[in-house]
Amino acid sequence: AQSVTQPDIHITVSEGASLELRCNYSYGATPYLFWYVQSPGQGLQLLLKYFSGDTLVQGIKGFEAEFKRSQSSFNLRKPSVHWSDAAEYFCAVGGVNFNKFYFGSGTKLNVKP
Amino acid sequence: NAGVTQTPKFQVLKTGQSMTLQCAQDMNHEYMSWYRQDPGMGLRLIHYSVGAGITDQGEVPNGYNVSRSTTEDFPLRLLSAAPSQTSVYFCASSYTSATGNEKLFFGSGTQLSVL
């Protein structure tokens, strides 16, 4: 069955510290992987995506993610967190048909000054 | 370019009432879908459509109906609202291409409360 697991419900980091948000997926075919960010009361904004090729993908706002097929993971990273990064982050997986997506339960990021 | 437009933004219903959440996209996308977002559960797929006249169920379809008579519109109907349907609903559209630019375009959401 297709599923996405984000094991960390809440994470707090200090401003300027590095960040890694974990995502593991289960998918029966070649996965398309995404990270979205949602600020309070807002819709979802795409941070980055992986379809094929280089397993390290760069996104907007200084985020990057690495696809590790052997670990079924697609962790999101940022070298130095800014206060404006406080939001909820969702990992998602979809297939080549691109019509059905499965989302993780989200990780809420809090940034300490 | 409007993108994906959802209406209304907020709605309060009484148990047993029916209503339709509207979703329209002006990007000529093939695929449209409805998700509900509940705290601690992420987004769950309710129904999706791969083109006009074609719809299918997602993870949590019970209590909801959809139709896709045109490429642009994909309304979600609650036939008899229940408190368990209190949630934030997102409509999304997407497409496939040879350029790898596929992604989900989300509407701004509808916050629904069922009393």
Side-chain angles (χ1 to χ4, degrees):
Chain A
Q2 294 87 342
S3 66
V4 177
T5 301
Q6 293 180 245
D8 303 306
I9 299 173
H10 289 96
I11 283 185
T12 298
V13 299
S14 298
E15 190 168 17
S18 64
L19 171 70
E20 182 169 23
L21 302 183
R22 296 182 289 166
C23 172
N24 292 94
Y25 68 90
S26 173
Y27 199 75
T30 301
Y32 287 1
L33 295 157
F34 305 82
W35 275 99
Y36 284 85
V37 60
Q38 184 181 35
S39 297
Q42 303 297 312
L44 284 84
Q45 180 183 20
L46 180 68
L47 283 176
L48 48 78
K49 61 186 178 183
Y50 171 80
F51 287 173
S52 64
D54 192 347
T55 56
L56 184 64
V57 294
Q58 303 296 321
I60 62 172
K61 304 184 179 186
F63 285 93
E64 66 178 25
E66 185 172 13
F67 171 58
K68 293 185 177 180
R69 185 183 299 275
S70 61
Q71 299 178 17
S72 297
S73 69
F74 189 56
N75 294 348
L76 181 71
R77 300 193 293 249
K78 187 169 185 178
S80 178
V81 170
H82 188 263
W83 64 266
S84 61
D85 293 326
E88 190 161 19
Y89 293 79
F90 293 94
C91 181
V93 64
V96 296
N97 289 331
F98 220 75
N99 50 31
K100 295 176 71 172
F101 292 84
Y102 298 88
F103 285 79
S105 55
T107 298
K108 287 187 179 177
L109 173 65
N110 182 42
V111 180
K112 292 190 301 184
Chain B
N1 195 346
V4 179
T5 303
Q6 281 183 244
T7 55
K9 292 191 181 301
F10 301 95
Q11 183 70 51
V12 179
L13 293 176
K14 294 181 180 178
T15 297
Q17 286 185 312
S18 63
M19 81 157 295
T20 299
L21 307 186
Q22 301 291 343
C23 177
Q25 54 94 4
D26 61 359
M27 297 172 283
N28 201 33
H29 286 173
E30 307 156 80
Y31 307 130
M32 295 186 76
S33 49
W34 277 101
Y35 293 83
R36 60 176 288 172
Q37 183 179 24
D38 302 292
M41 303 189 75
L43 280 78
R44 293 180 291 168
L45 181 66
I46 305 172
H47 285 284
Y48 67 99
S49 169
V50 300
I54 306 170
T55 64
D56 205 348
Q57 297 180 349
E59 300 172 79
V60 288
N62 292 341
Y64 307 96
N65 277 359
V66 292
S67 59
R68 183 100 180 268
S69 56
T70 66
T71 299
E72 294 78 19
D73 300 300
F74 191 46
L76 178 72
R77 297 182 185 85
L78 283 71
L79 302 178
S80 179
S84 61
Q85 294 178 303
T86 294
S87 187
V88 180
Y89 292 84
F90 287 98
C91 179
S93 71
S94 57
Y95 66 98
T96 58
S97 76
T99 62
N101 286 326
E102 297 88 337
K103 68 176 185 179
L104 280 173
F105 293 77
F106 282 94
S108 57
T110 297
Q111 189 167 327
L112 176 67
S113 296
V114 183
L115 307 178

